[in-house]
Amino acid sequence: MSAMPPHSAGPASGPASGPDATLAFGTLDRLAPELRPAVDPRELRSRIVHFGLGAFHRAHQAVYTEHAAARSGEPWGIAAVAPRSADTVAALRAQDGLYSVTGLHGDGPVTRVVGSVTEALRMGSDAARIDTLLASPDVTVVTLTISEKGYHRRPGSGVLDAQALDTGAPGIAADLAAPDTAGLATVVGRLAAGLAARQRAGGAPVTVVSCDNMAANGPALAGVLRGFVEASSWPGRRALLDWLETSVAFPSTVVDRIVPATAEADRAAAHRALGVRDGVPVVAEPYRQWVLEDAFAGARPPWERDGALFVPDVVPYQLTKLRLLNGSHSALAHIGAAAGCGSVAEALATEWGERLVRAFCAEVGPTLPAGGPDPAAYADDLVARFRNPGMRHLLQQIGSDGSLKLPERWFGALRALRAASAPTPVLELALAAWVNATRPAPDGGGRQVYGTTDPAAAGLAACRRDGPDTPDTADTVRRLLGAVGAADLAGDPALVSAVTARLPALRAGRVEI
């Protein structure tokens, strides 16, 4: 498989010349060679289905897949499914699936077009095409980046909990009650229906790969899919469950690349770099990592040719990433918001930012299993990554959905440390900052006081029975911990007292480490 030739023909979907020319097959010959895709996108086939057409996927798995195709000569392309965003689907279709990724290096940005997306689909209107792809033996891998909330797990449920799926969640309940599968609205439901179509079409083995930030994300995904099928009234569901057990693999993974939300300035910069307009550019830090459990049911892209790591057990890598990177990110988000910071880089520029990251890693490091990265060296890398002057990763983005993120990022380490009678001052500070951040915004609208959003925002607000403007008490802390599935932590009087004692300083914008 060759790289994109200098003069390639293709259907231009936008203006082919002038200042308003749009990125598409027909305008690729206008790009400098170093800006073009690593592979001719017209030589690829849809052999992967991906759910979650967001910026992270386009800056991570799609890049690995393009490089794997280019370096192996195998035509691995991605049919990417957007659960909600019709605008992203329309923009990618207008650009023949092409878009740019700009690496935000400290010494300046580096932009390149990625061509691994062969189809852009919308989950509702393109349900029939999605089912056809999922039933096809040519498709051997399904990947997901749908965030923690896309799995609809019950708060506090364990990874191997047979009842982990929250069947009462509105989207799941509606899908289970639907008269047919055409209009299923959740990724869990749509994927289950597609796998059922595959089983009926002959049952070729397939690997379903969660790329979301959850401990044991493979078994977690397998659990909610099985839970959906079991709760359904579909005929033949027992045969489907048996087939899921024998023919579908759910490897666990670790993904890492900081991908901030794309701003208007990023769009303008991509236009300047490319010389054509890109409606869906992505910006990201230079660093990226992908660790996968080597447990696939069939053919897969040779992602290792682009540096992906296949290992027998991802747990040491997974817990290191979840607890140190994601955990310190959440701590920076909530503490930084209280101190008036807007981005990770701004928080690292304070007198307390680096100390917080290093202290967090030192405190949590003893809870990590052997076989993963060294926590101190990992902290060094985090400080350098978080300080990158080219990045503007917003704390509001990181701090959203805290009720779903914190059980994964903080609570396991906190439980282990408390059980060992180890001190937990940094986690106590972080928890206090989250408690402070769950106050509802003064103008309402479902947002929290620092602009974050959370699917549990209403329930968290209800934990403040004396109102959002009154000082938080130990009872408030207990109720909030209970609301996110941590009744055991809520029942730890010393922890609750320590968290409560931190709140007045945070309310005043002071960070005391």
Side-chain angles (χ1 to χ4, degrees):
M1 185 174 295
S2 60
M4 173 57 62
H7 299 285
S8 57
S13 303
S17 62
D20 292 324
T22 302
L23 179 63
F25 288 168
T27 55
L28 278 174
D29 63 344
R30 296 182 52 174
L31 305 183
E34 67 271 15
L35 297 175
R36 298 175 191 171
V39 65
D40 185 340
R42 291 160 300 191
E43 294 183 2
L44 303 181
R45 301 200 312 270
S46 297
R47 298 181 65 185
I48 302 169
V49 173
H50 178 80
F51 287 90
L53 191 46
F56 182 81
H57 167 67
R58 286 180 278 137
H60 192 273
Q61 298 92 22
V63 174
Y64 277 97
T65 299
E66 184 192 57
H67 290 172
R71 293 167 186 175
S72 68
E74 300 171 8
W76 290 98
I78 302 168
V81 181
R84 291 173 297 278
S85 180
D87 291 345
T88 302
V89 170
L92 277 170
R93 286 177 174 174
Q95 297 179 185
D96 299 319
L98 303 175
Y99 63 94
S100 64
V101 175
T102 296
L104 299 174
H105 297 257
D107 56 357
V110 177
T111 301
R112 191 179 65 78
V113 173
V114 176
S116 55
V117 174
T118 50
E119 301 180 55
L121 305 170
R122 192 178 180 195
M123 202 166 68
S125 55
D126 295 315
R129 175 59 181 162
I130 295 166
D131 281 357
T132 297
L133 285 165
L134 290 173
S136 169
D138 289 338
V139 171
T140 56
V141 177
V142 179
T143 55
L144 296 88
T145 52
I146 57 175
S147 81
E148 294 94 334
K149 63 186 174 184
Y151 293 76
H152 297 283
R153 291 194 295 166
R154 287 187 298 102
S157 61
V159 168
L160 300 179
D161 188 341
Q163 305 300 320
L165 180 68
D166 184 0
T167 55
I172 294 293
D175 278 3
L176 289 171
D180 56 57
T181 62
L184 299 181
T186 68
V187 172
V188 172
R190 179 78 273 143
L191 179 56
L195 292 176
R198 188 180 188 93
Q199 185 243 346
R200 292 193 300 270
V206 65
T207 304
V208 184
V209 185
S210 169
C211 301
D212 287 296
N213 288 319
M214 302 183 297
N217 51 11
L221 174 57
V224 295
L225 275 173
R226 290 186 62 86
F228 186 92
V229 174
E230 288 171 351
S232 76
S233 57
W234 294 350
R237 63 182 180 277
R238 178 47 52 190
L240 175 57
L241 288 167
D242 291 343
W243 176 78
L244 289 173
E245 191 70 30
T246 59
S247 299
V248 184
F250 295 92
S252 290
T253 66
V254 181
V255 296
D256 192 2
R257 192 175 197 183
I258 298 172
V259 183
T262 304
E264 197 54 44
D266 301 319
R267 299 178 191 280
H271 188 196
R272 289 193 299 273
L274 298 171
V276 296
R277 294 194 180 277
D278 179 2
V280 280
V282 179
V283 296
E285 68 169 335
Y287 178 93
R288 55 187 170 92
Q289 181 193 51
W290 199 1
V291 184
L292 303 98
E293 182 183 2
D294 196 3
F296 279 62
R300 62 163 178 81
W303 288 311
E304 64 272 23
R305 295 200 181 190
D306 194 36
L309 184 63
F310 286 84
V311 300
D313 182 11
V314 305
V315 169
Y317 300 90
Q318 194 169 59
L319 286 180
T320 298
K321 197 259 180 171
L322 276 170
R323 293 185 178 178
L324 299 191
L325 186 146
N326 297 127
S328 62
H329 245 171
S330 287
L332 281 169
H334 298 303
I335 295 169
C341 300
S343 70
V344 172
E346 286 178 25
L348 262 289
T350 65
E351 57 87 18
W352 51 262
E354 179 178 344
R355 282 193 294 120
L356 174 66
V357 174
R358 293 191 183 281
F360 188 97
C361 292
E363 183 169 298
V364 173
T367 72
L368 299 173
D374 173 67
Y378 197 87
D380 290 340
D381 289 342
L382 289 183
V383 169
R385 292 169 66 188
F386 292 172
R387 272 191 174 146
N388 183 343
M391 295 285 291
R392 181 165 173 75
H393 199 184
L394 298 180
L395 300 183
Q396 180 177 317
Q397 177 187 359
I398 300 165
S400 289
D401 302 331
S403 67
L404 299 174
K405 293 175 178 176
L406 302 194
E408 295 283 347
R409 301 179 180 192
W410 294 352
F411 292 175
L414 187 58
R415 288 179 174 118
L417 291 168
R418 303 295 292 185
S421 300
T424 55
V426 184
L427 283 165
E428 291 160 11
L429 172 62
L431 266 177
W434 169 73
V435 168
N436 179 54
T438 58
R439 290 177 290 145
D443 58 356
R447 287 190 173 269
Q448 295 170 323
V449 66
Y450 299 120
T452 52
T453 59
D454 196 300
L460 298 175
C463 292
R464 290 183 165 77
R465 295 175 184 169
D466 296 325
D469 296 325
T470 57
D472 290 324
T473 65
D475 284 340
T476 305
V477 173
R478 277 191 287 268
R479 287 192 290 265
L480 285 166
L481 287 170
V484 293
D488 58 326
L489 299 177
D492 182 337
L495 173 65
V496 170
S497 177
V499 170
T500 307
R502 294 277 198 169
L503 288 165
L506 288 164
R507 281 256 192 158
R510 298 195 310 274
V511 178
E512 299 173 347
I513 300 176

